[in-house]
Amino acid sequence: MMLPGSLLVMVFILVPDFVLLQNCPPPCECISTTVYCNMTGITNVPSDLPINTETLYIGNNPIKFVAKTAFVGLDKLAWLDFSGNNFKESSIEKGALNIPSLLVLDLTQNSFITIPQELPPNLIRIYFYYNPITTLKATSFVNHSTIQFLYLDNTQLNKIEDHAFDPLVNAVEIDLAFNKLVDGSFGPMTFVKNQKLINLGFRFNNLKTIPDTSNFPVSLQSLDFVGNKIKIIPAYAFRTLTNLTSMAFWQGEINDIENNAFYGLHKLSYLDMMQDHVSSITNLTFNGLTGLQNVFLDLNNISKIEPGAFQSTRSIQQLWLGSNKLTSLVPEVLNKTFVPQLSALFIDDNPWICDCHLRWLRQKMDDEPNVIQDPHLIVCSGPPKVTGKAWDSLQPNDFVCADRKINTSTV
C-alpha cells in the first residue's frame, strides 16, 4: 500500500532517531544525536555508542583511562564533554582524541597540570576550567592552531611564557579569569600573534597596573579587567586599541582615571566602572569617547564632576551615578549640548543638598519625564526643611537657598 507523501516524509525523519534510541548503551540516555552518559558511574567509554552521535556528555564519572580505540567509528562526533573525571596527562592514550569531526572539547574540573598535546586536529573550542595548571609554556599550543575559543578560567595560572599564544592565530576569545596573574606574569608581546582576537578577559586576577597594550591585537573589541587590584588608569593607556567597544573594571580598586585615559577609543560604547574608588571626574576623563552610550559609575566615591565632563560623549544614553558622594551638580555637567541622547540618568543614594543650586536638576525631572530614574530613591540630605524627603514628593520651588535669590535657569 502506498503511503501519502506527508507520511513518507515523517517516516524518513523519525527513522534515524528510532535507530539511535534502540542502540543506546545503558545506563546512558540518547535523545536524537545527543548521548548522555554523565554521572552514571561508568568506568569506561561505552564501546557501542551510536555511530551517528554528535554530542556526548560523559563527565563526572570514575573513568580512569581512555583508550586509543574509544571513539573509533564516531565520525560525526562534534562535541565531547569530559568534565569532572579527574583526568591527568596519562589518562588519555595518544591518538584517542584524533577525531577530525570534533570541534568542542570540555575538560573542565580535571587534574591536568599542562595543556594536553593530544587534542582533536580541528578543535575550535576548549573549556579548561578548574585544572591545576600554573604555567602556560611556549609549547603549550604548538599543535593547536585551529582553536578559536580558549577558556582557562579558575585554574592556578600565574605565568604565561613568551610565545605561548603564538600558535593560536585563529583565536577570537581568550578568557583568563579567576587566576593568579600578577604584574609581570606575561610579557608585552604575549598576544602579538593573535590578530583575530576579539575578546580578552583578565577578570579577578591580581594585576596592579594596566598591562602594556601597545602590542595587543588591534582587532580587540572587548577587554575585561574586572576585580583586579589596578588603582590607576594612565593617560593614553589604550590608544592603539581603536576597535574596542566594551571595557569593564567594576569591583576593582581604581581611584584615579588620568586625563585622556581612554583617548582614541572612538568606538567604545560600553564602559563599566561600578564599585571602584573613583572620587572625581574631570572634563578630560572621558575625552575621545565619542561613541560612548552606557557608562556605569555607581558605587564609587565621586564627590565632584567638572563642567563639561561629558562634552565628548554626545552618544551617551544611560549614565549611572548612583551610590556616590555627590552633594550638588552644576547645569554644565548635563547640558543638552553635551548629552543630547541621554535617556536614563541614575543619581539615587547620593547625599544631595537640595537647595537652589540643584533646583535645575529637579526641574529637569519635570521637563524631561523618564530621564531621571527612580525619583522615589533620590533623597535629600539637606537643607533641614527637606532632609529625608524623596524628589518625587518635592517640587522645584522646594529647592531654595536661605536669604539668596533663586536661580531658576534650566538646561
Side-chain angles (χ1 to χ4, degrees), residues 193-242:
K193 298 292 186 180
N194 312 122
Q195 291 301 311
K196 295 181 181 179
L197 196 61
I198 293 175
N199 303 320
L200 179 58
F202 297 101
R203 180 170 294 198
F204 289 101
N205 277 274
N206 295 311
L207 299 174
K208 293 184 177 181
T209 60
I210 298 290
D212 180 357
T213 65
S214 58
N215 289 295
F216 278 27
V218 71
S219 57
L220 274 177
Q221 296 179 21
S222 175
L223 194 52
D224 189 337
F225 288 108
V226 167
N228 278 274
K229 299 179 179 181
I230 299 166
K231 296 185 182 299
I232 299 173
I233 302 181
Y236 308 103
F238 313 101
R239 62 189 180 280
T240 62
L241 304 181
T242 54

Side-chain angles (χ1 to χ4, degrees), residues 16-133:
D17 289 353
F18 176 78
V19 171
L20 182 58
L21 289 170
Q22 289 297 308
N23 292 291
C24 194
C28 304
E29 294 185 3
C30 303
I31 301 175
S32 186
T33 58
T34 300
V35 180
Y36 298 91
C37 301
N38 48 315
M39 294 186 289
T40 56
I42 59 176
T43 56
N44 292 289
V45 176
S47 60
D48 52 350
L49 290 166
I51 61 172
N52 56 340
T53 301
E54 295 180 7
T55 302
L56 175 59
Y57 292 94
I58 200 167
N60 293 286
N61 284 301
I63 298 173
K64 296 185 181 299
F65 184 70
V66 180
K68 181 179 180 179
T69 57
F71 303 105
V72 169
L74 299 185
D75 297 333
K76 296 183 179 180
L77 186 62
W79 186 304
L80 176 58
D81 182 347
F82 252 153
S83 61
N85 286 328
N86 200 32
F87 287 157
K88 51 188 177 182
E89 279 67 15
S90 60
S91 299
I92 302 176
E93 188 176 4
K94 183 177 181 180
L97 297 179
N98 187 19
I99 309 169
S101 59
L102 192 57
L103 304 178
V104 181
L105 179 62
D106 191 342
L107 293 175
T108 297
Q109 287 186 316
N110 281 287
S111 298
F112 292 105
I113 60 174
T114 61
I115 301 295
Q117 290 302 292
E118 295 293 328
L119 293 179
N122 298 311
L123 189 64
I124 289 178
R125 186 184 299 259
I126 181 169
Y127 297 94
F128 210 70
Y129 308 144
Y130 295 103
N131 279 280
I133 186 170

